[in-house]
Amino acid sequence: MKLAFPSPEFDDAVASVCHGEADEALCRALNELLRNDASALDEYILRTELHSRLGSDEDLFVPANQLASEETESEELRFRERGDLDSDASPKRQLWWAWGVVAALLALAALGVWQSGIREQAPVSQVGSQAVAMLDRTVRARWADAEKHPVAGDPLEPGWLTLESGLAQIVFYKGARLIVEGPAEINLLAPNHVSVRKGKITADIPSQSSGFRIDGPHASVDAAVANVGFEAEGSGTAVHVFSGQAAVRPGNASAEESVESGIGILVTETGDVQRIQPDGSAFASLYDFHAESSAALALRRDNWEVMGERLNQEESLLVRLDFEQASPSRWELPNLSQSSSVAEKASVIGCQWGRGRWPGKQAIEFQNVNDRVRLDVPGEYDSLTLSAWVRVQGLDRELNSLFMSDGFVEESIHWLLRDDGVLGMTVVGDQPGDYQIVASPPVVELNDIGRWIHLAVVIDGRSRRVSHFVNGQEVDREALMIEPPYRVGPSELGNWSARGFPEDDPFMIRNFSGSMDEFCLFSRALAPEEIEKLYQEGRPDLDLLAFRR
Amino acid sequence: MVESGKQGDDALERQRFLSLFLRSEREIFRYVAALVPNASDAEDIVQQTAIALWEKFDSYDSTRPFTPWACRFALNKARQWTERRKRWQALLENGLAEEIVARREELKPQLERRLSRLEGCLEKLPEDKRSLVEGYYYKRQTIEALAEASGRTVEATYKALQRVRQSLQMCIEGANRTEGAT
């Protein structure tokens, strides 16, 4: 076989290579041609580049409106609910596979971020990897930008933060901890460097950090291991060294002054340097931070408990588990729903107990391949809503179960997370082989690993649609082809019993890796506002203001 | 709440690696796809590259750009991968792989110039062609699903994709019209 250039045969050959359809003889002929014809090679490179660009640049495509009731192709979704493992038949992954794989590989530590809302266009690969610090907690924080301000747990990228009032604790990735009291304007420059236009800050710089630097309007301070107070205002900049030592450099001076524990330095706007007594009381509010934030937390939790009691009375609530075990040795969880007669309790198999959203709040941890919580919810339902607070530790499996009915029973459901951060709801029809998978865009992202997030899905049999929610926001809505009724039946949180499907097939292993500290199942379709409310009432972040909103 | 105590050096190192890798990911993918254009195969190779990069990350000199360093690994991984796959080996043997990589580097400015017009050209496509391209490249639908959706045969769907790429190519090579392309 011989190829000429230019020729229709050449065109076809390049196309079939791009599609992965070329056979060996064709590849050989193409190789022969490309090695001997420079212009054919250039043309080939252009064409393959065009092809790979289309496949790797999501920005080229404005995402289609999810609300369009496109026909859902299980093929398209590549969920492989019953896929065999033959690689040729295996589904293609989207290009944002990478983080799932890498995250699983590296079992990422928590350096979390929540980018709320939908990010269809931005691939995961562009998410918050520039962050230098994390907003750890806030108390009564009012930010200048009321719309787009960070909340506790958010990663912070380099740039200005303006805190009008209240307190914020920032943990830098190089180990230093800053508590900032508003009004303050600070510019995060690096994982160990911040500049302050105004404001009051205490910096705790531990030995395992690699030092920290604060630049102020009239002076800068460098410290390796220390606890310092830093106050910048129009008339001058004060540095109080409460422990350790720090090097203070006034304004533009090149000489720095070493300041020992128990000493303070004031650099005035005219550049005068004065020694002062370090004044702990000036920073008292910052030391009250912990007390304040504990109180705020306790309040948050109380609030959640009150809401929980109310929720337990809700008529459509089939199951509510809050994983608040009296003793870890009891492996049964009571169903807290007051109105439901199904699923009196759930059984814990394996699992560990860990920390939930708030100090003292328990969570169940799924770590091992056999960890699961089993329950049985008999009955047929026209609509269902599932809601869970989870902390993902890693997306180790291709499919990671959130809540799945056993096997592939007619009319049952599978709620899961794919390894690329896509939420999936599979609804099985009443005919063999009939099922629909509703897959969101990739919404659980690299930076969500290790954070508490609220996930919910609504299966609305009346208006025949499925909606996925993350942190109270609807991120996907699609038409549902499978008619009601829907069943739950014997099912599992955090795992799946394949029931009759080959157990040794790695694809059948779907255990979740992470924690869950609340789960609700309703027998109706909750409205988006109700889901938003569930999220707002259970938000783990501390800020009292956020909680009053 | 995130427990900040977990943020040891190791976690930072991983974070650093991930941010570098994820920033270079598309570049690496395109580099690999120049050798093995079929997307799902190229992705497999990029995955294996990612693993190798992480294993060797301590030998990465952070004063130098990450992508070229990563692409060297990618070339090795592509070689290893094609060794076990006859047709791809036939495509790249006798030094063609190296030639493609080198020539692509030389052509880069030219390729970039042309491809910068791609978005504008995509917008000009008729709706059915655009949704075919979007389905195949962006939504990653299988050719079978696309065929079914359009009522074409699989063969005809491949052909249709080929023709859309051709018209896109003609468009990006088009006369230097100033289209106010961003």
Side-chain angles (χ1 to χ4, degrees):
Chain A
M1 177 173 188
K2 219 168 165 52
L3 280 175
F5 174 76
S7 72
E9 292 75 26
F10 171 80
D11 297 346
D12 293 350
V14 178
S16 60
V17 165
C18 289
H19 299 144
E21 297 293 299
D23 63 15
E24 196 180 339
L26 189 59
C27 286
R28 207 172 292 287
L30 195 53
N31 174 282
E32 178 80 11
L33 171 70
L34 297 180
R35 281 187 299 111
N36 296 304
D37 184 336
S39 51
L41 179 64
D42 285 2
E43 182 64 22
Y44 175 82
I45 290 172
L46 172 62
R47 291 189 192 184
T48 53
E49 195 73 21
L50 172 67
H51 162 79
S52 77
R53 195 61 62 109
L54 287 167
S56 64
D57 192 348
E58 300 84 2
D59 300 349
L60 291 170
F61 300 95
V62 179
N65 187 344
Q66 291 292 325
L67 297 177
S69 57
E70 295 164 40
E71 197 171 340
T72 316
E73 293 279 354
S74 53
E75 284 286 329
E76 152 197 348
L77 299 167
R78 295 161 298 102
F79 245 101
R80 220 178 58 168
E81 274 280 355
R82 301 194 198 207
D84 54 45
L85 284 174
D86 170 5
S87 65
D88 283 342
S90 75
K92 295 179 193 172
R93 280 202 184 82
Q94 284 161 304
L95 195 74
W96 38 68
W97 51 268
W99 82 265
V101 172
V102 178
L105 255 176
L106 309 184
L108 266 185
L111 297 166
V113 62
W114 176 244
Q115 309 267 352
S116 65
I118 195 158
R119 297 166 40 93
E120 285 181 277
Q121 262 188 287
V124 170
S125 8
Q126 297 177 342
V127 175
S129 43
Q130 311 296 320
V132 295
M134 184 187 78
L135 182 61
D136 192 37
R137 313 173 180 185
T138 57
V139 173
R140 296 187 312 276
R142 270 197 28 238
W143 301 89
D145 188 341
E147 291 300 307
K148 282 172 54 189
H149 63 76
V151 297
D154 276 356
L156 301 169
E157 297 195 350
W160 285 96
L161 282 177
T162 306
L163 182 65
E164 307 239 315
S165 63
L167 303 170
Q169 177 166 279
I170 299 172
V171 178
F172 281 79
Y173 287 168
K174 290 262 165 103
R177 236 162 230 279
L178 266 61
I179 301 173
V180 182
E181 183 179 7
E185 290 175 45
I186 65 171
N187 187 4
L188 311 186
L189 298 165
N192 56 358
H193 189 186
V194 64
S195 82
V196 179
R197 193 179 289 159
K198 68 169 185 202
K200 207 188 273 185
I201 290 174
T202 57
D204 186 34
I205 304 149
S207 59
Q208 66 271 26
S209 75
S210 46
F212 197 79
R213 180 188 173 108
I214 306 172
D215 293 329
H218 322 97
S220 61
V221 56
D222 266 298
V225 184
N227 184 301
V228 297
F230 190 93
E231 191 173 7
E233 49 183 42
S235 60
T237 297
V239 179
H240 307 243
V241 181
F242 300 119
S243 71
Q245 60 168 206
V248 178
R249 187 197 308 262
N252 310 333
S254 54
E256 53 185 36
E257 194 154 343
S258 177
V259 182
E260 301 294 321
S261 168
I263 309 268
I265 291 266
L266 171 67
V267 182
T268 65
E269 58 185 326
T270 54
D272 292 340
V273 180
Q274 305 163 12
R275 296 226 147 193
I276 51 173
Q277 270 300 101
D279 178 9
S281 64
F283 296 89
S285 61
L286 305 189
Y287 286 108
D288 292 341
F289 182 90
H290 294 290
E292 294 229 26
S293 60
S294 303
L297 268 179
L299 206 59
R300 206 84 193 75
R301 195 202 142 101
D302 290 350
N303 180 61
W304 167 78
E305 281 187 359
V306 171
M307 298 301 172
E309 282 307 314
R310 198 173 302 167
L311 198 54
N312 293 342
Q313 313 299 323
E314 152 80 42
E315 233 171 277
S316 65
L317 184 72
L318 292 169
V319 177
R320 180 163 179 262
L321 304 173
D322 67 1
F323 305 100
E324 291 286 279
Q325 283 266 104
S327 80
S329 57
R330 285 184 24 222
W331 294 108
E332 284 188 334
L333 298 167
N335 178 0
L336 303 170
S337 167
Q338 301 294 306
S339 52
S340 153
S341 53
V342 302
E344 202 175 315
K345 49 175 85 78
S347 328
V348 177
I349 296 150
C351 298
Q352 305 283 319
W353 292 98
R355 228 186 90 162
R357 273 166 288 168
W358 303 287
K361 165 90 185 78
Q362 283 207 129
I364 194 130
E365 286 184 358
F366 302 97
Q367 296 170 351
N368 299 322
V369 74
N370 290 315
D371 291 352
R372 60 195 67 210
V373 174
R374 282 198 67 77
L375 58 158
D376 186 3
V377 186
E380 294 190 340
Y381 305 97
D382 280 345
S383 293
L384 291 165
T385 298
L386 293 83
S387 140
W389 278 98
V390 298
R391 184 161 75 168
V392 181
Q393 286 299 50
L395 295 169
D396 307 357
R397 306 287 172 200
E398 186 175 358
L399 305 181
N400 305 271
S401 162
L402 293 164
F403 180 71
M404 293 174 83
S405 303
D406 289 357
F408 277 96
V409 178
E410 290 76 48
E411 300 169 339
S412 68
I413 55 167
H414 289 173
W415 187 29
L416 43 86
L417 251 175
R418 204 168 61 190
D419 60 3
D420 55 358
V422 165
L423 280 165
M425 170 48 75
T426 304
V427 183
V428 183
D430 56 3
Q431 299 300 316
D434 179 21
Y435 60 90
Q436 181 186 344
I437 304 155
V438 175
S440 75
V443 285
V444 176
E445 298 172 339
L446 178 56
N447 282 319
D448 296 322
I449 302 279
R451 305 184 64 185
W452 284 103
I453 54 175
H454 181 249
L455 302 176
V457 62
V458 175
I459 301 162
D460 186 337
R462 282 195 198 156
S463 62
R464 297 283 292 282
R465 58 157 218 272
V466 171
S467 299
H468 287 287
F469 293 81
V470 177
N471 285 351
Q473 300 289 311
E474 187 169 21
V475 293
D476 188 43
R477 179 192 297 192
E478 291 183 38
L480 176 61
M481 309 296 164
I482 309 278
E483 292 179 16
Y486 312 113
R487 302 158 179 274
V488 181
S491 46
E492 290 181 358
L493 286 164
N495 217 320
W496 182 49
S497 280
R499 290 250 301 248
F501 288 86
E503 296 280 355
D504 54 349
D505 181 339
F507 174 64
M508 296 296 167
I509 300 174
R510 302 179 174 190
N511 60 302
F512 176 67
S513 167
S515 319
M516 185 176 292
D517 79 352
E518 189 175 5
F519 172 76
C520 298
L521 172 68
F522 301 86
S523 60
R524 65 181 177 92
L526 266 61
E529 308 72 67
E530 295 179 286
I531 304 273
E532 162 79 8
K533 192 157 169 271
L534 283 177
Y535 162 66
Q536 292 296 355
E537 287 169 357
R539 281 172 68 161
D541 51 347
L542 294 174
D543 208 294
L544 289 166
L545 271 166
F547 140 66
R548 290 204 190 101
R549 258 206 308 273
Chain B
M1 297 283 10
V2 176
E3 287 154 36
S4 48
K6 287 187 190 150
Q7 297 167 13
D9 281 355
D10 203 28
L12 281 171
E13 194 66 354
R14 286 197 290 257
Q15 182 75 1
R16 200 167 69 94
F17 169 74
L18 275 175
S19 79
L20 285 166
F21 175 78
L22 294 176
R23 245 177 294 164
S24 296
E25 180 202 346
R26 289 181 186 190
E27 281 289 320
I28 300 169
F29 171 82
R30 289 166 193 167
Y31 177 94
V32 170
L35 301 167
V36 179
N38 181 34
S40 54
D41 290 338
E43 282 168 6
D44 285 351
I45 296 168
V46 178
Q47 274 185 42
Q48 290 166 16
T49 305
I51 298 169
L53 290 171
W54 170 240
E55 283 170 352
K56 290 279 188 295
F57 189 51
D58 51 8
S59 71
Y60 165 63
D61 171 358
S62 59
T63 61
R64 310 193 61 89
F66 182 81
T67 310
W69 181 74
C71 285
R72 285 206 300 278
F73 283 76
L75 180 58
N76 276 332
K77 285 290 160 197
R79 276 208 198 90
Q80 288 169 15
W81 188 91
T82 51
E83 269 167 18
R84 300 192 305 275
R85 289 166 181 82
K86 268 201 163 127
R87 57 193 184 134
W88 292 109
Q89 198 171 6
L91 177 69
L92 297 171
E93 66 193 359
N94 303 322
L96 185 63
E98 290 72 12
E99 212 172 323
I100 288 174
V101 166
R103 183 61 184 154
R104 178 173 172 269
E105 194 57 37
E106 288 170 5
L107 291 174
K108 243 192 179 150
Q110 207 177 320
L111 290 171
E112 284 305 326
R113 249 200 325 280
R114 290 180 179 178
L115 288 163
S116 67
R117 294 195 277 267
L118 185 53
E119 195 167 358
C121 292
L122 270 169
E123 280 164 17
K124 287 211 220 52
L125 283 179
E127 187 49 43
D128 60 329
K129 293 197 170 57
R130 194 189 146 87
S131 72
L132 177 67
V133 173
E134 196 165 297
Y136 183 77
Y137 285 106
Y138 177 68
K139 296 182 184 163
R140 295 294 173 94
Q141 290 168 276
T142 61
I143 211 80
E144 291 76 16
L146 287 162
E148 204 174 319
S150 64
R152 293 190 190 99
T153 63
V154 165
E155 206 48 49
T157 310
Y158 274 133
K159 204 70 199 166
L161 269 172
Q162 183 182 339
R163 275 198 290 271
V164 180
R165 279 200 305 270
Q166 250 160 0
S167 55
L168 284 171
Q169 190 177 339
M170 278 158 68
C171 173
I172 63 174
E173 289 176 330
N176 296 331
R177 286 175 307 239
T178 44
E179 300 173 6
T182 47

